[in-house]
Amino acid sequence: MAKRIMVVEDNDLNRKLFCDVLKANGFDVEPVADGESVLETARAVTPDLIIMDIQLPGISGVDLIEAAQQDMLLAQIPVLAVTAFAAKGDEERIRKAGASGYLSKPVSIMPFMNAVKELLPA
C-alpha cells in the first residue's frame, strides 16, 4: 500500500510541483492549500508524513507543527518543514517546534525526495 503524504502549501505552483513529484514516486498525496484546515484534514486522512510550508496566510506553519505535537492522533506523524525564509536560527526554531526535517526553498527534486524517504517509516 502506498504511503500517504499530506502537502500543506498555499502557493499553487509549489503545491502542484510537490504533489506531482510525490505521485510520480508512487505516493498517495493529500494537498492542502489552507492552513486553517490542516489539523482537521490530518486527523481525517492520517498521513504517513506531513510536508508543511512555514509561511501560510493567517497561521504559522510553526504553530501548526506545535499543535500537531500536542494532538494524540497526530504527534507521531513526522513533519518535513519547507520554507522560503531561511534566516539564521529558523531551522533550530522549527525543529524545536517538532519538525522532523527541514528544507529551504527553492527545493531541488533529489534533496526533496531524499528528505521524504528519510522521514517515512519503513
Side-chain angles (χ1 to χ4, degrees), residues 21-68:
V21 168
L22 292 166
K23 285 179 193 169
N25 280 274
F27 295 103
D28 283 339
V29 179
E30 183 70 34
V32 178
D34 175 18
E36 301 296 327
S37 64
V38 166
L39 299 175
E40 183 182 319
T41 303
R43 285 186 206 105
V45 302
T46 57
D48 297 291
L49 173 67
I50 298 172
I51 296 173
M52 178 75 70
D53 183 18
I54 296 302
Q55 301 293 330
L56 295 166
I59 190 161
S60 161
V62 175
D63 292 341
L64 289 170
I65 293 168
E66 288 174 339

Coordinates of all heavy atoms in Angstrom, one line a residue, residues 21-68:
V21 N 5.6 15.4 -8.1 CA 6.9 14.6 -7.8 C 6.6 13.4 -6.9 O 7.0 12.3 -7.2 CB 7.9 15.6 -7.2 CG1 9.1 14.8 -6.6 CG2 8.4 16.6 -8.2
L22 N 5.8 13.7 -5.9 CA 5.4 12.6 -4.9 C 4.6 11.5 -5.6 O 4.9 10.3 -5.5 CB 4.7 13.1 -3.7 CG 5.6 14.0 -2.8 CD1 4.7 14.8 -1.8 CD2 6.6 13.2 -2.1
K23 N 3.6 11.9 -6.4 CA 2.8 10.9 -7.2 C 3.7 10.1 -8.1 O 3.5 8.9 -8.2 CB 1.7 11.6 -7.9 CG 0.6 12.1 -7.1 CD -0.5 12.8 -7.9 CE -1.5 13.6 -7.1 NZ -2.3 14.5 -7.9
A24 N 4.6 10.8 -8.8 CA 5.5 10.1 -9.8 C 6.4 9.1 -9.0 O 6.9 8.1 -9.7 CB 6.4 11.1 -10.5
N25 N 6.6 9.3 -7.7 CA 7.4 8.4 -7.0 C 6.5 7.3 -6.2 O 7.0 6.7 -5.3 CB 8.3 9.1 -6.0 CG 9.5 9.7 -6.7 OD1 10.5 9.0 -6.8 ND2 9.4 10.9 -7.2
G26 N 5.3 7.3 -6.5 CA 4.4 6.2 -6.0 C 3.7 6.5 -4.7 O 3.1 5.6 -4.1
F27 N 3.6 7.7 -4.3 CA 3.0 8.1 -3.1 C 1.5 8.6 -3.3 O 1.2 9.1 -4.4 CB 3.7 9.2 -2.3 CG 5.1 8.8 -1.9 CD1 6.2 9.3 -2.6 CD2 5.2 8.0 -0.8 CE1 7.5 8.9 -2.2 CE2 6.5 7.7 -0.3 CZ 7.6 8.1 -1.0
D28 N 0.6 8.3 -2.4 CA -0.7 8.9 -2.4 C -0.5 10.3 -1.8 O 0.2 10.5 -0.8 CB -1.7 8.1 -1.5 CG -2.1 6.9 -2.1 OD1 -2.1 6.8 -3.4 OD2 -2.6 6.0 -1.4
V29 N -1.2 11.3 -2.3 CA -1.0 12.7 -1.9 C -2.3 13.3 -1.5 O -3.3 13.1 -2.2 CB -0.3 13.5 -3.0 CG1 -0.1 14.9 -2.6 CG2 1.0 12.9 -3.4
E30 N -2.2 14.1 -0.4 CA -3.4 14.9 0.0 C -3.0 16.3 0.1 O -2.3 16.8 1.0 CB -3.8 14.4 1.4 CG -5.0 15.1 2.0 CD -6.3 14.7 1.3 OE1 -6.4 13.5 0.8 OE2 -7.2 15.6 1.2
P31 N -3.3 17.1 -1.0 CA -2.9 18.5 -1.0 C -3.8 19.4 -0.1 O -5.0 19.1 0.0 CB -3.1 18.9 -2.4 CG -4.0 18.0 -3.0 CD -4.0 16.7 -2.2
V32 N -3.2 20.3 0.6 CA -4.0 21.2 1.5 C -3.4 22.6 1.2 O -2.2 22.9 1.4 CB -3.8 20.9 3.0 CG1 -4.5 21.9 3.9 CG2 -4.3 19.5 3.3
A33 N -4.3 23.5 0.8 CA -3.9 24.9 0.5 C -4.1 25.9 1.7 O -3.5 26.9 1.8 CB -4.6 25.4 -0.7
D34 N -5.0 25.5 2.6 CA -5.5 26.4 3.6 C -4.9 25.9 5.0 O -5.3 24.8 5.4 CB -7.0 26.4 3.6 CG -7.6 27.2 4.7 OD1 -6.9 28.0 5.3 OD2 -8.8 27.0 5.0
G35 N -4.1 26.7 5.6 CA -3.5 26.4 6.9 C -4.6 26.2 8.0 O -4.3 25.4 8.9
E36 N -5.8 26.8 7.8 CA -6.8 26.6 8.9 C -7.4 25.2 8.9 O -7.9 24.8 10.0 CB -7.9 27.6 8.6 CG -7.5 29.1 8.6 CD -7.0 29.6 9.9 OE1 -7.5 29.1 11.0 OE2 -6.1 30.4 9.9
S37 N -7.3 24.5 7.8 CA -7.9 23.1 7.8 C -6.8 22.0 8.0 O -7.2 20.8 7.9 CB -8.6 22.9 6.5 OG -7.7 22.9 5.4
V38 N -5.6 22.4 8.3 CA -4.5 21.4 8.3 C -4.8 20.3 9.4 O -4.7 19.1 9.1 CB -3.2 22.1 8.6 CG1 -2.1 21.0 9.0 CG2 -2.7 22.8 7.4
L39 N -5.0 20.7 10.6 CA -5.2 19.7 11.7 C -6.4 18.8 11.5 O -6.3 17.5 11.6 CB -5.2 20.4 13.1 CG -4.0 21.2 13.4 CD1 -4.2 21.9 14.7 CD2 -2.7 20.3 13.5
E40 N -7.5 19.4 11.1 CA -8.7 18.6 10.8 C -8.4 17.6 9.6 O -8.8 16.4 9.7 CB -9.8 19.6 10.4 CG -11.2 19.0 10.1 CD -12.2 20.0 9.7 OE1 -12.2 21.1 10.3 OE2 -12.9 19.8 8.8
T41 N -7.8 18.0 8.6 CA -7.5 17.2 7.4 C -6.6 16.1 7.9 O -6.8 14.9 7.5 CB -6.9 18.0 6.3 OG1 -7.8 19.0 5.9 CG2 -6.7 17.1 5.0
A42 N -5.5 16.4 8.6 CA -4.6 15.4 9.1 C -5.3 14.3 9.9 O -5.0 13.1 9.8 CB -3.5 16.0 9.9
R43 N -6.2 14.7 10.8 CA -6.9 13.7 11.6 C -7.8 12.8 10.7 O -7.9 11.6 10.9 CB -7.8 14.4 12.6 CG -7.1 15.0 13.8 CD -8.0 15.6 14.8 NE -7.3 16.6 15.6 CZ -7.5 17.9 15.4 NH1 -8.4 18.4 14.6 NH2 -6.8 18.8 16.2
A44 N -8.4 13.4 9.6 CA -9.2 12.6 8.7 C -8.5 11.7 7.8 O -9.0 10.6 7.6 CB -10.1 13.6 7.9
V45 N -7.3 12.1 7.3 CA -6.6 11.2 6.4 C -5.4 10.4 7.0 O -4.9 9.6 6.3 CB -6.1 12.0 5.1 CG1 -7.3 12.7 4.4 CG2 -5.0 13.0 5.5
T46 N -5.1 10.7 8.2 CA -3.9 10.1 8.9 C -2.7 9.8 7.9 O -2.5 8.7 7.6 CB -4.3 8.8 9.6 OG1 -4.9 7.9 8.7 CG2 -5.3 9.1 10.8
P47 N -2.1 10.9 7.5 CA -0.9 10.7 6.6 C 0.3 10.0 7.3 O 0.4 10.1 8.5 CB -0.6 12.1 6.2 CG -1.1 13.0 7.3 CD -2.3 12.3 7.9
D48 N 1.1 9.5 6.5 CA 2.4 8.9 7.0 C 3.5 10.0 7.2 O 4.4 9.8 7.9 CB 2.9 7.8 6.0 CG 1.9 6.7 5.9 OD1 1.8 5.9 6.9 OD2 1.3 6.5 4.9
L49 N 3.2 11.1 6.5 CA 4.2 12.3 6.5 C 3.4 13.5 6.2 O 2.5 13.5 5.4 CB 5.3 12.1 5.5 CG 6.3 13.2 5.3 CD1 7.1 13.5 6.6 CD2 7.2 12.9 4.1
I50 N 3.8 14.6 6.9 CA 3.2 15.9 6.5 C 4.3 16.8 6.0 O 5.3 17.0 6.7 CB 2.5 16.6 7.7 CG1 1.3 15.7 8.2 CG2 2.0 18.0 7.4 CD1 0.7 16.2 9.5
I51 N 4.2 17.4 4.8 CA 5.1 18.4 4.3 C 4.4 19.7 4.6 O 3.3 20.0 4.1 CB 5.4 18.2 2.8 CG1 6.1 16.8 2.7 CG2 6.2 19.3 2.3 CD1 6.3 16.4 1.2
M52 N 5.1 20.5 5.4 CA 4.5 21.8 5.9 C 5.2 23.0 5.5 O 6.4 23.2 5.9 CB 4.5 21.7 7.5 CG 3.9 22.9 8.2 SD 2.2 23.0 8.1 CE 1.7 21.7 9.2
D53 N 4.5 23.9 4.7 CA 5.1 25.2 4.4 C 5.0 26.0 5.7 O 4.1 25.9 6.5 CB 4.2 25.8 3.3 CG 4.7 27.2 2.9 OD1 5.9 27.5 3.1 OD2 3.9 27.9 2.3
I54 N 6.0 26.8 6.0 CA 6.1 27.5 7.2 C 5.3 28.9 7.1 O 4.7 29.3 8.0 CB 7.5 27.8 7.7 CG1 8.2 26.4 8.0 CG2 7.6 28.7 8.9 CD1 7.4 25.6 9.1
Q55 N 5.4 29.5 5.9 CA 4.7 30.8 5.7 C 3.4 30.6 5.1 O 3.2 30.5 3.9 CB 5.6 31.7 4.8 CG 7.0 31.9 5.3 CD 7.0 32.8 6.5 OE1 6.1 33.6 6.7 NE2 8.0 32.6 7.4
L56 N 2.4 30.5 5.9 CA 1.0 30.3 5.5 C 0.2 31.6 5.8 O 0.4 32.2 6.9 CB 0.3 29.1 6.1 CG 1.0 27.7 5.8 CD1 0.5 26.7 6.7 CD2 0.7 27.4 4.3
P57 N -0.8 31.9 5.0 CA -1.6 33.1 5.3 C -2.5 32.8 6.5 O -3.1 31.8 6.6 CB -2.5 33.3 4.1 CG -2.4 32.0 3.3 CD -1.1 31.3 3.7
G58 N -2.5 33.7 7.5 CA -3.3 33.6 8.6 C -2.8 32.8 9.8 O -3.3 32.9 10.9
I59 N -1.9 31.8 9.5 CA -1.4 31.0 10.6 C 0.0 30.5 10.2 O 0.3 30.3 9.1 CB -2.3 29.8 10.8 CG1 -2.0 29.0 12.0 CG2 -2.4 28.8 9.6 CD1 -3.1 28.1 12.6
S60 N 0.8 30.4 11.2 CA 2.2 30.0 11.0 C 2.3 28.4 11.0 O 1.7 27.7 11.8 CB 3.1 30.5 12.2 OG 4.3 29.8 12.2
G61 N 3.1 27.9 10.0 CA 3.4 26.5 10.0 C 4.0 26.0 11.3 O 3.8 24.9 11.7
V62 N 4.8 26.9 11.9 CA 5.4 26.5 13.2 C 4.3 26.3 14.3 O 4.4 25.3 15.0 CB 6.4 27.6 13.7 CG1 6.9 27.3 15.1 CG2 7.6 27.7 12.7
D63 N 3.3 27.1 14.3 CA 2.2 26.9 15.2 C 1.4 25.7 14.9 O 1.0 25.0 15.8 CB 1.2 28.1 15.2 CG 1.8 29.4 15.7 OD1 2.8 29.4 16.4 OD2 1.3 30.5 15.4
L64 N 1.3 25.3 13.6 CA 0.6 24.1 13.3 C 1.4 22.9 13.7 O 0.8 21.9 14.1 CB 0.3 24.1 11.8 CG -0.7 25.1 11.3 CD1 -0.8 25.1 9.8 CD2 -2.1 24.7 11.8
I65 N 2.7 22.9 13.5 CA 3.6 21.8 13.9 C 3.4 21.6 15.5 O 3.3 20.5 15.9 CB 5.0 22.1 13.5 CG1 5.2 22.0 12.0 CG2 6.0 21.0 14.2 CD1 6.5 22.6 11.5
E66 N 3.5 22.7 16.2 CA 3.4 22.6 17.7 C 2.0 22.1 18.1 O 1.9 21.2 18.9 CB 3.6 24.0 18.3 CG 5.0 24.5 18.3 CD 5.2 25.9 18.8 OE1 4.3 26.7 18.8 OE2 6.4 26.2 19.1
A67 N 0.9 22.5 17.4 CA -0.4 22.0 17.7 C -0.5 20.5 17.4 O -1.1 19.7 18.1 CB -1.4 22.8 16.9
A68 N 0.1 20.1 16.3 CA 0.1 18.6 15.9 C 0.8 17.8 17.0 O 0.4 16.7 17.3 CB 0.7 18.4 14.5

